[in-house]
Amino acid sequence: QKSISRCSGDKYTLTALWAPAVKEPQLSADSCYQITSKEELYAIPKLSTFACLELQNDIVVNENLLDAEGNPDSTRNDIMYWQPFAFGGIFEGNGHTISGLYTKKQYEAGFFSKLYEGAGKPPVVRNLGIKDSYFEGTPYAGGIVGYIKQSALLVNVFSEATVVARGSAGGIAGAIISKEDWSCLCAPPPLAKPALAKPEWPTMNPSNVTQIINAYNAGRVSSASLYDGTGGIVGQAQDLTLENV
């Protein structure tokens, strides 16, 4: 490796990965963080991994990110980079969308990098749409999440993002790895949610497989691998339940 110094005669090309200044979101009376702006969106990784998060309005990070073929504009130098984060809590989208997310050469790429259980409770993502976004993963990429470990519940979600992976690529989730005990599937929480009385998890237990309910993908999905999966909803999964997708 070469170090950059004022005395060096070498020339270097530096690339800046822009991001907005972060702003911690307000915590509601029912202990859910209220996400209202891209500045608050970028603060999420600094919060608890198992937090309750509620999207209060549509958020645009990069305007008009994709061209007609679903590729990011390579001539732009103002694109803000999205760093996907691991999550094990509740993300309530309230029917809103997040647009203009850009992730490249990330191990697990998506809005979330990974969803995983915490203290025996599955993560929940519901009523959320991802639009005009680009996720490139090595090896996992998905329009909502790159990788799901064990179980999760995704309800009323969609993606219109471009998803590219060297391995498993899926319109909603890149890969899902579950335990071998798939004996019980319990009912998901109610879809109608005018307000949270408290951060409530569904009554799934750790043996449940991932459930994806009421979901669709309208974005381009591709993988460079001849061996890993590529799918409109899920690229690769040990086991899962799909309903109305």
Side-chain angles (χ1 to χ4, degrees), residues 25-120:
Q26 294 293 313
L27 191 62
S28 68
D30 52 11
S31 300
C32 285
Y33 287 99
Q34 310 295 289
I35 309 300
T36 64
S37 66
K38 62 185 177 184
E39 290 79 11
E40 293 175 347
L41 190 71
Y42 273 73
I44 290 177
K46 298 180 179 294
L47 306 176
S48 168
T49 303
F50 306 106
C52 173
L53 307 172
E54 284 194 283
L55 199 59
Q56 298 301 301
N57 45 261
D58 296 347
I59 293 177
V60 178
V61 175
N62 293 292
E63 293 187 1
N64 303 316
L65 178 67
L66 303 181
D67 62 20
E69 283 72 44
N71 299 312
D73 186 350
S74 60
T75 65
R76 291 178 58 175
N77 58 9
D78 62 341
I79 294 178
M80 287 182 283
Y81 188 84
W82 174 250
Q83 180 66 49
F85 61 98
F87 188 65
I90 294 176
F91 193 101
E92 173 58 67
N94 284 319
H96 296 298
T97 62
I98 300 172
S99 304
L101 299 174
Y102 176 79
T103 297
K104 191 172 183 179
K105 296 181 180 179
Q106 181 74 24
Y107 187 79
E108 298 158 339
F111 174 59
F112 303 99
S113 61
K114 178 190 295 183
L115 294 175
Y116 65 99
E117 290 184 357

Side-chain angles (χ1 to χ4, degrees), residues 60-61 64 68 155 192 211 217 221:
V60 178
V61 175
N64 303 316
V155 182
Q211 301 177 67
N217 168 61
V221 180

Side-chain angles (χ1 to χ4, degrees), residues 82-214:
W82 174 250
Q83 180 66 49
F85 61 98
F87 188 65
I90 294 176
F91 193 101
E92 173 58 67
N94 284 319
H96 296 298
T97 62
I98 300 172
S99 304
L101 299 174
Y102 176 79
T103 297
K104 191 172 183 179
K105 296 181 180 179
Q106 181 74 24
Y107 187 79
E108 298 158 339
F111 174 59
F112 303 99
S113 61
K114 178 190 295 183
L115 294 175
Y116 65 99
E117 290 184 357
K121 297 177 181 179
V124 178
V125 181
R126 56 191 177 192
N127 306 318
L128 175 66
I130 303 296
K131 302 172 65 177
D132 190 36
S133 296
Y134 182 87
F135 302 118
E136 181 183 312
T138 57
Y140 307 117
I144 299 293
V145 55
Y147 179 89
I148 298 176
K149 182 178 181 182
Q150 179 48 33
S151 66
L153 179 63
L154 286 75
V155 182
N156 289 352
V157 296
F158 73 86
S159 171
E160 297 176 358
T162 294
V163 175
V164 180
R166 294 183 185 175
S168 298
I172 299 298
I176 301 172
I177 306 299
S178 303
K179 289 182 180 179
E180 295 182 357
D181 181 7
W182 307 322
S183 58
C184 172
L185 287 175
C186 303
L191 299 184
K193 184 187 156 299
L196 279 176
K198 59 180 180 179
E200 288 188 81
W201 266 269
T203 55
M204 301 165 67
N205 64 47
S207 68
N208 291 151
V209 297
T210 291
Q211 301 177 67
I212 301 178
I213 303 170
N214 300 338

